[in-house]
Amino acid sequence: MTDKARDYSETLFLPQTDFPMRGGLPQKEPELLARWAKLKMYDRLRDVAKERPRYILHDGPPYANGNIHIGHALNKVLKDVVTRSQQMLGHDSNYVPGWDCHGLPIEWKVEEEYRAKGKAKPDFSDPIAINAFRAECRAFATHWLNVQREEFKRLGVEGDWDHPYSTMDFASEAVIAREIMKFAENGLLYRGSKPVMWSVVEKTALAEAEVEYEDYQSDMVWVAFPVKQTANDALKQAAIVIWTTTPWTIPGNRAISYSSRIAYALYEVESATNDFGPQKGARYIIAEKLAQEVADKAKIVFRKVADVTADDLAHVTCAHPLQALGYTFDVPLFDGDHVTDDAGTGFVHTAPGHGREDFDIWMASGKMLAGRGINPRIPYTVDEDGFYTNDAPGFGPDREGGAARVITDKGAKGDANDAVIKALIEANALVARGRLKHQYPHSWRSKKPVIFRNTPQWFIAMDQPFDYAGKGGATSRAGSNQPTLRDVALASIKETQWVPAAGENRINGMIANRPDWVVSRQRAWGTPISVFVAKRDLPQHGLKEKDVLRDARVNQRIYDAFLAEGGDAWFADKSGARFLQPDFDPADFEKVTDVIDVWFDSGSTHAFTLEDPVAFPQLAGTKRKVDGGNDTVMYLEGSDQHRGWFHSSLLESCGTRGRAPFDVVLTHGFVLDENGRKMSKSLGNTTAPQDIIKTSGADILRMWVCASDYADDLRIGPEILKGTAETYRKLRNTIRWMLGSLAHFRPEDRVAVDTMPELERLMLHRLAEVGEQVEQAYRDFDYKRIFATLAAFMNIDLSAFYFDIRKDTLYCDPISSVTRKAALTVIDRLFEHTVRWLAPMLCFTADEAWIARHPGDTNSVHLETFAELPAGWRNDGLAEKWRKVRSVRRVVTGALELERAQKRIGSSLEAAPAIHIADAELFAAVSDIDFAEVCITSAATLVSGEGPADAFRMPEVPGVSVVSQRADGQKCARSWRYFDPATADAAYPDITPRDAVAMREWEALPKGAE
């Protein structure tokens, strides 16, 4: 006879696991990183994936100049999730990290150190000085590359960290130089004169991607250009009024643009109350829509004299308003599509050296200018320091007190506007003036305003037909049908998968409308533009003055030197003799000293990473689908890179290979604070990934990334992270419970699916259903959907439903119980699949759990693929039946919650509800279900028909009502179920007969086996 006071807890199959409830991630994660390093995980991943199709995530290089921030963390975690998930989907998914190491920010940091030490800036014309400076830049970049590498590894990012690429590696610089030389060879590289965005502070041209728009207060002027020639006598004494927010560009004016779609008129001043400018009788030509606004600004009253037609304007030539200072040339009128009557006067002051549209219309009008005898030369009115030149008479070096300045070297507004406005007033040409606060381009580095300035720069032509290497490797030679770089790039965009799809339209518009690519910078730290230009006609070499030398022997010598010494080799030889001789005389050539735009650097990374089997043997043999192979290359960066890295990579590859360097492009948004504000140290609303890792662990950060909609801007902050940590806790505890339960699972106890109870077969159906969704979402890069699906499945289907129901069976059933064995079989499958599905996202926790289940020095979930989901697990009919069961269960659960709230019961096992089902079809469908088991009560009665009026009901489940009743009998001392003591085994009178069978089997086990 068993003592009634016996403690039965030792006889229960309670969960047993060393997997802790609290993650302790800040301490555990470094241990796992050390384990992966010991395993040589990157090499192991390559070994297990041999012969699989490759999925290469080519890294968009971060800039090596500081600690990583939350945006870096978002980017790298997304990349890691892509890489890990594609590996588990059956690819050889390879990630080689890289760094962008050239450029102005690093130069600035080194120069700051010079200033702090009182050292003078080096003389970059001195080979020794410039290479010493470059060495300091290289050391600075190397330091931060190593710092960032450790920070990225701490995020759990798997990659070839021992062999990353960097744009400053000698091999990289050699290839970058070779790529720019390819553009010289195909004729797209040219030196020209164009207005470029110029930073006076940084003394360099800026690409579109280096500019951001900020609020700025500009001077506005309305200026009268006297009509000099016209076929309409009414216009002979009139003036055309233009409006501009850059008065300093007036010395650069060479034309006026109008639109044939706009209605213009001639107006005569009747009265004026101004201090300068328009007086009674003056006549002005202005767009009708804007005339009154101009009159108000000029403090005048005027009357309309006559309409002015587009034909009238086409035959007008004006004089420059500052002709008395030496601006004696004719000012023609152009019909331009860019002109509107939304603001201003309907006329656009056109200074081809200071605006893109101004330049374009000036160049497009070359034939007309020649016909009128107008010099098409574009002046250089402003120098690199922001001062006027001799091309701006009256404001340049000839001016009393020296040249006026547009912007100072500190980025402040200079005296140029005031000087020009004063001259306009003296010439009686200023109609009105004012100030305007608007969005104006600033350098993203210095945060100071930039100017459009005509400069000699190196460009890659977008619209010049060229020969390119086609997809089959042959050279396209289609005569007049040769494509332009713009044509090839636009075609390649259509062949690329864009995630999200809106990215295609965005980059398509940017490529379609972009100007020629400025690829030169006047700096020291970068890969040099390694070309030579003929100083004079060289008929013996087939060259004319200013032609770029194209010679395979010279190019090979440049490449070999860079491979051995890096770009320093270029600067070390002032004349270029080592590259030119013995084939050419250095005296005949100018050695270009500009460096290549860093966007060209990073745009060339595919060439020296994906295509260099010597430097990156792990990528050797890659053959993309576009080339007839099975491999895929993805680029993944922030959405701003449509105008940055995606853009430059596309153009670089299309110009040298005739196709895009990528097959898939994925973009993500930016990180804001919890209130949707941009993060700023001054606002104190930044969230540092290092802090999250230190306090919560990298997996919490990774979970935040995967739970967020990365396609939009993401928010982060203490409250959001608190919610993320709570969700993590629930998932971890679900995993922990599975591990604990599986401690009692023996492989030989595995149960065949067709012999399992319905509940187990239902869970396998749900597992298959969820698996299809999860794996498809991984293919679609829809991580938010995966996270939401898994969280719901593990928290609701498993923890709150299946596990809750099966705890009694698992803990209390006899060891021989088929239901218990079936449940363990299913839990084993649940663990194997869910942990694999979580592994790309929660890389640390998933591997910790996997090792707990599959101990061994070489085991890791990351070496696995997603497990097969047998088609036989799907059972839609069973799922529909159990949908009905669960709806009935909801009503019972609601009734029991009410009983608990009223203190009529404590545990649900104290209840024995009567369940009334009025719907005959529903009753028939669920009549064979043991609702006591499903509802975790000691008993349950199913009754056909409508229940009593006072029965518990839920409106959303019509036809089901529950009458709550307390369970009769005695409480089992082992399982806590209530039972009829008359049914008890005489040897175990205080427990149910089921528990008595379990006790007999437990006591029959060999000592210690339990």
Side-chain angles (χ1 to χ4, degrees):
M1 181 72 67
T2 304
D3 187 343
K4 290 184 180 180
R6 176 172 179 175
D7 179 5
Y8 286 102
S9 62
E10 66 174 354
T11 73
L12 301 176
F13 296 106
L14 296 174
Q16 296 176 6
T17 180
D18 292 330
F19 186 78
M21 182 182 297
R22 295 178 64 85
L25 295 177
Q27 294 75 41
K28 185 64 179 179
E29 289 171 348
E31 295 175 11
L32 287 165
L33 286 171
R35 185 177 190 272
W36 296 342
K38 186 178 179 181
L39 280 175
K40 296 186 176 179
M41 181 64 77
Y42 177 82
D43 294 333
R44 289 283 305 281
L45 287 166
R46 302 289 71 75
D47 289 342
V48 300
K50 279 180 180 175
E51 308 305 322
R52 294 185 198 168
R54 286 179 175 169
Y55 201 98
I56 298 170
L57 199 154
H58 181 47
D59 197 18
Y63 202 67
N65 71 331
N67 293 101
I68 69 169
H69 52 66
I70 194 67
H72 287 119
L74 163 65
N75 178 264
K76 291 297 184 187
V77 168
L78 278 176
K79 288 175 177 175
D80 193 53
V81 175
V82 169
T83 302
R84 291 183 185 277
S85 60
Q86 291 297 324
Q87 180 88 7
M88 298 187 83
L89 282 167
H91 292 100
D92 177 4
S93 189
N94 203 331
Y95 171 68
V96 175
W99 274 269
D100 195 354
C101 299
H102 290 140
L104 189 58
I106 289 174
E107 282 198 44
W108 264 36
K109 291 293 185 181
V110 174
E111 287 179 10
E112 281 179 4
E113 294 175 6
Y114 274 48
R115 289 191 288 272
K117 297 175 182 176
K119 292 172 62 177
K121 184 177 177 179
D123 176 7
F124 289 158
S125 65
D126 177 356
I128 295 175
I130 191 171
N131 279 342
F133 179 81
R134 285 169 58 84
E136 293 184 71
C137 292
R138 188 180 297 277
F140 181 92
T142 300
H143 166 75
W144 284 111
L145 185 157
N146 289 327
V147 169
Q148 290 184 3
R149 171 164 38 195
E150 295 308 309
E151 291 178 321
F152 288 142
K153 288 165 69 174
R154 183 60 187 86
L155 292 169
V157 179
E158 185 57 65
D160 195 0
W161 295 108
D162 293 336
H163 306 98
Y165 78 78
S166 85
T167 57
M168 68 178 179
D169 290 340
F170 290 176
S172 301
E173 291 184 339
V175 172
I176 294 166
R178 186 176 63 192
E179 293 298 302
I180 201 70
M181 289 187 284
K182 286 181 182 179
F183 280 98
E185 290 164 6
N186 67 23
L188 293 187
L189 181 70
Y190 70 95
R191 181 148 62 178
S193 162
K194 275 193 175 182
V196 296
M197 281 183 282
W198 181 268
S199 170
V200 173
V201 176
E202 298 152 290
K203 291 185 177 56
T204 192
L206 300 179
E208 288 279 354
E210 297 173 299
V211 170
E212 56 192 17
Y213 287 80
E214 304 289 347
D215 285 342
Y216 186 74
Q217 184 167 276
S218 294
D219 294 306
M220 295 188 292
V221 290
W222 287 257
V223 181
F225 281 66
V227 172
K228 184 176 180 180
Q229 297 173 8
T230 176
N232 183 341
D233 289 345
L235 306 182
K236 283 186 176 178
Q237 301 302 314
I240 288 177
V241 180
I242 65 91
W243 169 76
T244 181
T245 58
T246 54
W248 62 268
T249 62
I250 293 294
N253 176 277
R254 292 299 182 270
I256 297 170
S257 298
Y258 67 95
S259 173
S260 55
R261 300 185 304 273
I262 294 175
Y264 296 93
L266 175 66
Y267 296 89
E268 182 174 305
V269 178
E270 294 187 313
S271 64
T273 56
N274 50 25
D275 299 326
F276 58 83
Q279 297 301 312
K280 184 177 180 179
R283 289 189 166 195
Y284 299 112
I285 305 169
I286 306 168
E288 283 195 84
K289 179 181 173 183
L290 297 164
Q292 189 55 53
E293 181 182 327
V294 174
D296 293 342
K297 293 291 185 182
K299 299 179 183 178
I300 58 175
V301 175
F302 53 33
R303 66 181 180 86
K304 179 178 176 181
V305 175
D307 291 329
V308 177
T309 68
D311 186 62
D312 290 333
L313 296 174
H315 293 87
V316 167
T317 299
C318 289
H320 195 285
L322 299 177
Q323 56 186 321
L325 294 178
Y327 300 83
T328 56
F329 44 81
D330 289 346
V331 177
L333 268 66
F334 301 145
D335 186 356
D337 293 336
H338 63 292
V339 183
T340 71
D341 57 1
D342 295 336
T345 67
F347 291 100
V348 174
H349 143 63
T350 301
H354 297 300
R356 183 173 301 146
E357 291 168 327
D358 302 35
F359 174 86
D360 290 342
I361 197 168
W362 180 263
M363 296 303 291
S365 305
K367 189 174 181 180
M368 184 264 274
L369 294 173
R372 292 197 188 184
I374 297 173
N375 185 353
R377 175 182 175 270
I378 299 173
Y380 293 95
T381 52
V382 178
D383 69 14
E384 64 178 11
D385 295 311
F387 288 104
Y388 281 121
T389 68
N390 287 324
D391 278 355
F395 307 101
D398 60 330
R399 172 176 173 259
E400 185 178 346
R405 196 174 196 183
V406 180
I407 290 180
T408 71
D409 55 2
K410 302 296 184 185
K413 192 181 295 184
D415 59 350
N417 279 353
D418 290 341
V420 171
I421 291 171
K422 180 182 178 184
L424 290 170
I425 292 173
E426 291 173 352
N428 198 31
L430 190 65
V431 175
R433 65 186 297 183
R435 295 211 171 151
L436 176 70
K437 189 173 185 180
H438 63 139
Q439 292 279 293
Y440 187 83
H442 287 63
S443 167
W444 69 275
R445 297 185 194 93
S446 66
K447 309 302 180 185
K448 301 299 182 183
V450 301
I451 58 175
F452 272 96
R453 160 178 180 263
N454 193 34
T455 60
Q457 297 289 344
W458 287 91
F459 297 86
I460 289 175
M462 291 296 297
D463 296 311
Q464 177 178 317
F466 75 111
D467 292 342
Y468 70 95
K471 290 173 185 173
T475 299
S476 170
R477 295 191 179 278
S480 61
N481 294 322
Q482 285 178 337
T484 66
L485 179 55
R486 195 185 310 275
D487 294 334
V488 178
L490 290 172
S492 296
I493 289 170
K494 294 178 182 177
E495 297 172 355
T496 301
Q497 178 186 354
W498 299 89
V499 183
E504 178 174 352
N505 289 334
R506 186 173 186 195
I507 195 168
N508 196 81
M510 291 176 175
I511 295 293
N513 298 306
R514 69 155 295 135
D516 287 354
W517 184 5
V518 185
V519 293
S520 52
R521 295 292 182 270
Q522 292 69 48
R523 304 299 299 180
W525 177 228
T527 303
I529 296 179
S530 50
V531 297
F532 293 92
V533 178
K535 293 180 179 179
R536 60 190 70 87
D537 289 351
L538 301 170
Q540 70 274 31
H541 299 306
L543 295 171
K544 293 183 178 180
E545 184 181 357
K546 297 184 180 178
D547 278 356
V548 174
L549 175 63
R550 306 178 197 176
D551 186 87
R553 296 163 299 178
V554 172
N555 291 350
Q556 187 62 47
R557 285 194 284 268
I558 293 170
Y559 177 79
D560 291 342
F562 280 29
L563 197 59
E565 305 164 37
D568 291 1
W570 187 257
F571 297 106
D573 183 352
K574 205 163 187 177
S575 69
R578 70 179 292 189
F579 309 113
L580 292 168
Q581 292 175 338
D583 306 294
F584 300 94
D585 183 352
D588 290 336
F589 293 91
E590 170 199 350
K591 183 169 76 73
V592 175
T593 57
D594 290 350
V595 297
I596 302 172
D597 168 28
V598 292
W599 290 108
F600 188 97
D601 267 21
S602 58
S604 303
T605 55
H606 66 95
F608 58 77
T609 305
L610 304 181
E611 300 176 13
D612 188 342
V614 175
F616 298 98
Q618 66 273 45
L619 299 175
T622 297
K623 190 173 184 181
R624 291 167 54 198
K625 292 174 184 175
V626 73
D627 297 322
N630 295 312
D631 303 330
T632 302
V633 173
M634 170 188 263
Y635 280 33
L636 185 163
E637 296 301 327
S639 56
D640 59 333
Q641 296 308 309
H642 287 111
R643 66 178 184 142
W645 187 56
F646 303 149
H647 197 116
S648 63
S649 298
L650 176 66
L651 294 182
E652 201 289 325
S653 184
C654 286
T656 53
R657 291 152 178 80
R659 55 164 170 71
F662 39 65
D663 304 294
V664 184
V665 175
L666 184 148
T667 53
H668 59 77
F670 300 95
V671 185
L672 309 173
D673 74 3
E674 285 180 316
N675 300 311
R677 297 177 303 173
K678 186 177 179 180
M679 289 191 182
S680 166
K681 289 182 180 179
S682 61
L683 292 175
N685 65 341
T686 58
T687 299
Q690 296 87 348
D691 294 340
I692 299 172
I693 291 169
K694 184 178 180 180
T695 58
S696 303
D699 262 359
I700 300 301
L701 184 55
R702 294 176 68 100
M703 177 178 276
W704 164 76
V705 170
C706 295
S708 302
D709 182 2
Y710 66 76
D712 201 353
D713 289 341
L714 297 78
R715 298 187 181 192
I716 195 170
E719 291 304 312
I720 290 173
L721 288 170
K722 192 180 296 182
T724 304
E726 177 59 20
T727 304
Y728 172 84
R729 184 190 64 79
K730 292 178 180 178
L731 288 178
R732 184 179 181 90
N733 283 344
T734 299
I735 294 169
R736 182 173 185 268
W737 187 87
M738 286 193 285
L739 281 168
S741 298
L742 289 170
H744 306 293
F745 178 58
R746 299 175 300 186
E748 61 268 24
D749 289 340
R750 196 176 300 277
V751 175
V753 174
D754 57 357
T755 63
M756 288 181 177
E758 279 190 8
L759 184 56
E760 275 58 45
R761 287 186 283 127
L762 171 69
M763 297 321 297
L764 291 179
H765 166 84
R766 281 293 292 136
L767 187 63
E769 201 170 43
V770 167
E772 288 181 14
Q773 296 170 4
V774 166
E775 292 182 25
Q776 185 57 50
Y778 268 126
R779 293 185 187 95
D780 295 338
F781 317 107
D782 191 351
Y783 307 125
K784 182 182 180 184
R785 180 182 170 206
I786 296 168
F787 183 81
T789 299
L790 286 178
F793 178 61
M794 296 178 73
N795 293 333
I796 298 171
D797 285 310
L798 299 187
S799 290
F801 177 67
Y802 179 60
F803 294 166
D804 215 23
I805 292 170
R806 279 295 180 240
K807 283 177 181 176
D808 176 77
T809 297
L810 290 164
Y811 299 171
C812 302
D813 264 17
I815 196 168
S816 64
S817 164
V818 173
T819 300
R820 175 180 167 277
K821 292 177 180 179
L824 287 171
T825 301
V826 168
I827 293 169
D828 176 63
R829 290 298 88 204
L830 288 168
F831 178 89
E832 292 292 318
H833 285 277
T834 56
V835 172
R836 281 176 163 98
W837 293 334
L838 286 170
M841 299 187 293
L842 304 182
C843 64
F844 293 105
T845 302
D847 210 33
E848 180 189 2
W850 189 265
I851 297 164
R853 176 78 182 118
H854 303 289
D857 293 338
T858 60
N859 286 341
S860 172
V861 70
H862 302 301
L863 298 172
E864 305 293 325
T865 56
F866 292 139
E868 182 185 356
L869 292 161
W873 287 2
R874 289 296 296 262
N875 191 330
D876 293 332
L878 183 66
E880 176 57 24
K881 173 183 177 179
W882 274 83
R883 183 190 65 78
K884 296 172 182 178
V885 172
R886 291 181 76 166
S887 68
V888 173
R889 182 179 188 263
R890 283 180 61 203
V891 184
V892 176
T893 301
L896 296 180
E897 286 298 326
L898 185 63
E899 293 300 297
R900 283 197 190 91
Q902 298 296 326
K903 308 291 186 182
R904 289 192 283 266
I905 62 170
S907 162
S908 62
L909 290 173
E910 296 176 19
I915 306 165
H916 298 263
I917 301 178
D919 186 323
E921 185 180 343
L922 177 61
F923 183 86
V926 303
S927 59
D928 63 339
I929 297 298
D930 181 353
F931 272 96
E933 177 184 71
V934 170
C935 299
I936 318 174
T937 57
S938 288
T941 307
L942 208 58
V943 182
S944 179
E946 190 65 53
D950 61 349
F952 178 83
R953 291 173 172 82
M954 296 179 73
E956 58 268 36
V957 189
V960 178
S961 56
V962 175
V963 175
S964 296
Q965 302 167 157
R966 281 193 64 87
D968 294 328
Q970 176 181 319
K971 182 178 180 181
C972 173
R974 185 169 180 268
S975 64
W976 298 358
R977 282 185 180 181
Y978 284 77
F979 72 106
D980 181 355
T983 65
D985 185 317
Y988 302 97
D990 57 344
I991 60 178
T992 70
R994 184 275 309 258
D995 288 274
V997 173
M999 282 301 301
R1000 290 186 183 280
E1001 290 189 13
W1002 187 85
E1003 290 179 339
L1005 290 172
K1007 187 171 179 60
E1010 64 271 16

